[in-house]
Amino acid sequence: MKILSSYSIKGGVGKTALAVNLAFALREAGHRTLLLDLDPQGAATFYFRVGSAEKYRIRDTDSLAEGLRNNIRESDFPGLDIIPSNLGYRRFDIVLDGMKKRRSQLRRVLEELKPDYDVILMDCPPNITLLSENVFRASDGILVPIIPTVLSRRALEQLAGFFKDENLPRETLRPFFSMVQKRNKMHREIMDDLPAAYPGFLKSVIPFSADVEKMGLRRMPLLAYSKACEAARAYRALCDEILSLAGP
Ligand SMILES: Nc1ncnc2c1ncn2[C@@H]1O[C@H](COP(=O)(O)OP(=O)(O)OP(=O)(O)O)[C@@H](O)[C@H]1O
Ligand SMILES: [Mg+2]
C-alpha cells in the first residue's frame, strides 16, 4: 500500500483527522511519509503549521507535477513531509476535464514522487468530482471514515455503486468507523451489520473524543500531544492494520 487516500463523499466525517494522525503514525513506525493536502480548505496544512503553498497555475500535468515537487515542505517531525494545500486546486477539475486520460493524471504525477517515500497519503476534499476519480485511480487503498449513521451508510453505498459502474477495483475501498459513540444505539446497530456488506471494512474503530477536537487548538496531530489516550491508541491500531494489509 504505497499510495493511500483519506476520502469520503461526505463532509465532516474525520478524513483530515485520519490523514494527519495516520501520517504521524506511519512516520513513527519508520516509514518515510508524504502527506498531500488536496483540500483547498487546507485543514491538514493548518494542523501541521505549514505555510500555504506558493501560488502556481495548474495548466497541465507537467505544471502540476512541478508545482507539487516545488512545494514539498518538511514538517516539524523528521521523516514526514507535507505538500500544503493550494487554492489553485479549485481549478483541478476544469484543467483535468480538458486533458486526454483525464482520470489518471494524478497517478502519473505521483509516480514521480514515489521513489522518495514509503507512503504517500492524500487528504481529500468531500464530494465526488473528476479530482476524486483521479484519487481513486491513483490509490492502492482508499480509507473511508464512516460515522455509523443512516446517511453515512447511504454515502458508502453510493461510492460502492460508483466503483461498480466505473469498473473500479472495489477491494481498494477500505471503510472504517469514525467518531463512534458506543452508547448510541443506532451506532451499535449499524456497526453490527454494515461491515458484512464490504469485504474491505477495517476492524479498527475511531471513537468520538474531545481529545481529537483539541487538534485545532494544539495545531499538531493528536498522536503528538496525547500518545496514550483512547483515540490515539485507536489511530495507531488503524495504522498497524493498514500496514498489515497485503500490497506493494
Ligand atoms: N474522533 C473524533 N472525535 C471527536 N471529534 C472529531 C473526531 N474526528 C474528527 N473530529 C472533529 O470533527 C470535525 C470534522 O473532522 P475532520 O475535519 O477530520 O473531518 P473531514 O471529513 O476532514 O471534514 P471536511 O469534509 O470538511 O474536510 C473537526 O472539528 C474535528 O476536530
Ligand atoms: Mg477535511
Side-chain angles (χ1 to χ4, degrees):
M1 291 263 189
K2 176 117 196 187
I3 299 191
L4 297 170
S5 47
S6 182
Y7 170 82
S8 166
I9 297 178
K10 270 182 79 59
V13 294
K15 296 180 292 295
T16 300
L18 169 74
V20 300
N21 286 297
L22 179 59
F24 189 90
L26 285 164
R27 165 258 177 208
E28 229 178 20
H31 299 277
R32 291 168 304 159
T33 303
L34 176 66
L35 176 62
L36 170 52
D37 186 354
L38 282 178
D39 189 344
Q41 289 182 88
T45 302
F46 172 82
Y47 284 139
F48 277 108
R49 300 166 187 257
V50 178
S52 16
E54 283 163 25
K55 285 211 176 77
Y56 60 94
R57 214 173 146 76
I58 302 169
R59 290 179 307 274
D60 49 27
T61 340
D62 287 343
S63 55
L64 173 61
E66 193 187 328
L68 292 181
R69 221 181 305 112
N70 291 342
N71 276 291
I72 296 176
R73 307 260 192 277
E74 289 179 357
S75 72
D76 292 339
F77 311 101
L80 170 54
D81 290 348
I82 318 270
I83 299 182
S85 160
N86 181 337
L87 268 183
Y89 290 168
R90 72 191 192 287
R91 287 178 46 80
F92 253 143
D93 273 16
I94 304 166
V95 174
L96 288 166
D97 200 30
M99 297 169 84
K100 283 190 195 151
K101 299 196 177 156
R102 60 196 188 134
R103 293 185 172 84
S104 51
Q105 294 298 327
L106 186 61
R107 190 171 74 195
R108 253 192 58 198
V109 168
L110 295 184
E111 283 298 323
E112 286 185 36
L113 301 173
K114 255 171 142 178
D116 295 332
Y117 295 96
D118 299 315
V119 184
I120 298 176
L121 170 61
M122 295 177 272
D123 185 28
C124 303
N127 220 330
I128 183 155
T129 61
L130 197 46
L131 172 61
S132 322
E133 289 189 63
N134 272 267
V135 166
F136 301 156
R137 285 179 159 79
S139 303
D140 304 313
I142 301 156
L143 308 165
V144 190
I146 308 287
I147 304 175
T149 61
V150 174
L151 285 182
S152 292
R153 178 165 62 193
R154 186 168 165 269
L156 182 57
E157 283 161 7
Q158 286 174 324
L159 183 59
F162 183 83
F163 268 57
K164 191 162 176 251
D165 294 345
E166 297 294 320
N167 248 335
L168 289 161
R170 241 187 93 165
E171 63 276 12
T172 54
L173 283 180
R174 293 287 181 174
F176 66 96
F177 288 117
S178 166
M179 297 195 209
V180 168
Q181 293 172 291
K182 289 216 177 96
R183 289 205 195 125
N184 181 317
K185 189 163 172 270
M186 196 218 299
H187 280 206
R188 287 202 309 273
E189 284 171 1
I190 290 180
M191 289 174 76
D192 280 344
D193 71 37
L194 187 59
Y198 297 89
F201 220 105
L202 296 168
K203 292 186 177 52
S204 309
V205 168
I206 306 297
F208 186 91
S209 158
D211 295 324
V212 179
E213 287 178 309
K214 287 187 194 128
M215 287 201 308
L217 299 170
R218 306 291 294 255
R219 291 193 65 187
M220 60 179 82
L222 168 71
L223 294 191
Y225 61 82
S226 183
K227 285 183 183 301
C229 72
E230 189 193 357
R233 281 186 275 123
Y235 280 119
R236 224 176 274 115
L238 186 61
C239 176
D240 290 344
E241 187 178 0
I242 291 162
L243 288 172
S244 73
L245 300 170

